[in-house]
Amino acid sequence: MKPLFLAHGSPMLAVEQNAYSQFLQQIGASLKPDAIVIFTAHWETEAVTISSKDDEYETIYDFYGFPDEPYQVKYPAKGSTKVAELVGRLLSEQHIPVAYDTSRGLDHGSWTMLKHMFPKADVPVVQVSVNPDRTAAEQYRIGEALRSLSTQNILLIGSGVTVHNLRAVKWGQQEPESWAVEFDDWLIENMNNHDTNSLFQYEEKAPHAKMAVPRAEHFVPLYIALGSGSPCETPKVIYRSYEFGTLSYLSMQF
């Protein structure tokens, strides 16, 4: 069960039928995980915080100013305390501090994609927070601690966006801006070369890094998913497109 980094884009993804939603539906249909562990850019905490519950999640509408349709969506997935405890134990064994949350619902970094991938909401979900202030190397180490999940038929997903600068979007523009493409090209090249040293120094080495990643909360799930993948395999681009000139939908399998 290979880990994934998936772009979650706009909350409108939940109700749109387009090439990306079709991709999510197809990849979801190809996977039969026993559980899903998803690191979402829309839940930030100091320590790695793990949703720990067995009952149904509330669907959180953590966005404003959109049409009515996404606010009507419900994604009634259940949690898994068993999987939450496993995630916590694996992280603790690597001296990574953890905390547990028994009440928070699923935010749109999770349910907008999962609705397409697993529309029956019949796969247990464990949602995990991110801390964008940790270094890229520390994010990778979080993923590394969870590598064994893939051998237990548990799907790890990093949910974020590689190029996420809402001030730089070009509303209505179809063609991507060259700087956004160059940043993603750099990431792909260094992931393919397993050059973690360069990846850990992306702020200094990647072209247009400050434009692409003005704040790292949407970016760090990539490093967590990368770390959780097998270092012996070459990462695979499974989807790539751009919306509004700069918003990247680059998605990877590790």
Side-chain angles (χ1 to χ4, degrees), residues 61-101:
Y61 306 102
D62 52 336
F63 47 86
Y64 305 94
F66 287 86
D68 290 340
E69 289 87 346
Y71 299 100
Q72 308 306 315
V73 175
K74 303 287 186 185
Y75 190 75
K78 293 185 177 181
S80 170
T81 54
K82 181 180 178 181
V83 175
E85 289 168 5
L86 171 62
V87 171
R89 176 172 57 80
L90 291 172
L91 292 168
S92 296
E93 287 174 353
Q94 299 303 315
H95 309 291
I96 297 169
V98 300
Y100 294 92
D101 183 286

Side-chain angles (χ1 to χ4, degrees), residues 2-8 20 36-41 109-110 113 128 130 155-161 217-226 228 250-252 254:
K2 296 179 179 179
L4 303 174
F5 171 77
L6 298 175
H8 63 243
Y20 187 61
I36 299 162
V37 172
I38 184 164
F39 285 81
T40 169
S110 298
M113 295 190 305
V128 190
V130 299
L155 174 62
L156 185 144
I157 300 174
S159 170
V161 184
E217 82 287 348
H218 277 76
F219 188 61
V220 298
L222 172 70
Y223 281 68
I224 295 169
L226 174 64
S228 70
L250 175 65
S251 298
M252 305 288 300
F254 300 108

Side-chain angles (χ1 to χ4, degrees), residues 137-248:
E138 289 172 324
Q139 311 289 353
Y140 182 91
R141 195 163 72 86
I142 291 170
E144 202 172 29
L146 300 176
R147 260 181 204 165
S148 64
L149 293 180
S150 63
T151 65
Q152 302 179 60
N153 206 42
I154 297 173
L155 174 62
L156 185 144
I157 300 174
S159 170
V161 184
T162 53
V163 181
H164 185 268
N165 186 338
L166 298 183
R167 293 183 177 181
V169 297
K170 307 287 186 180
W171 301 108
Q173 181 172 315
Q174 300 298 317
E175 290 298 314
E177 293 286 299
S178 59
W179 63 263
V181 174
E182 289 169 14
F183 180 77
D184 278 349
D185 284 346
W186 184 91
L187 288 175
I188 294 166
E189 179 182 359
N190 284 280
M191 287 189 287
N192 286 344
N193 293 337
H194 301 283
D195 187 355
T196 53
N197 287 332
S198 291
L199 289 166
F200 294 163
Q201 300 175 65
Y202 78 92
E203 292 170 291
E204 294 80 30
K205 292 192 172 186
H208 318 293
K210 290 183 179 179
M211 279 287 288
V213 187
R215 192 170 182 273
E217 82 287 348
H218 277 76
F219 188 61
V220 298
L222 172 70
Y223 281 68
I224 295 169
L226 174 64
S228 70
S230 169
C232 301
E233 294 193 30
T234 300
K236 180 181 179 183
V237 176
I238 52 177
Y239 189 88
R240 187 177 184 182
S241 71
Y242 296 84
E243 190 174 34
F244 309 134
T246 65
L247 186 62
S248 175

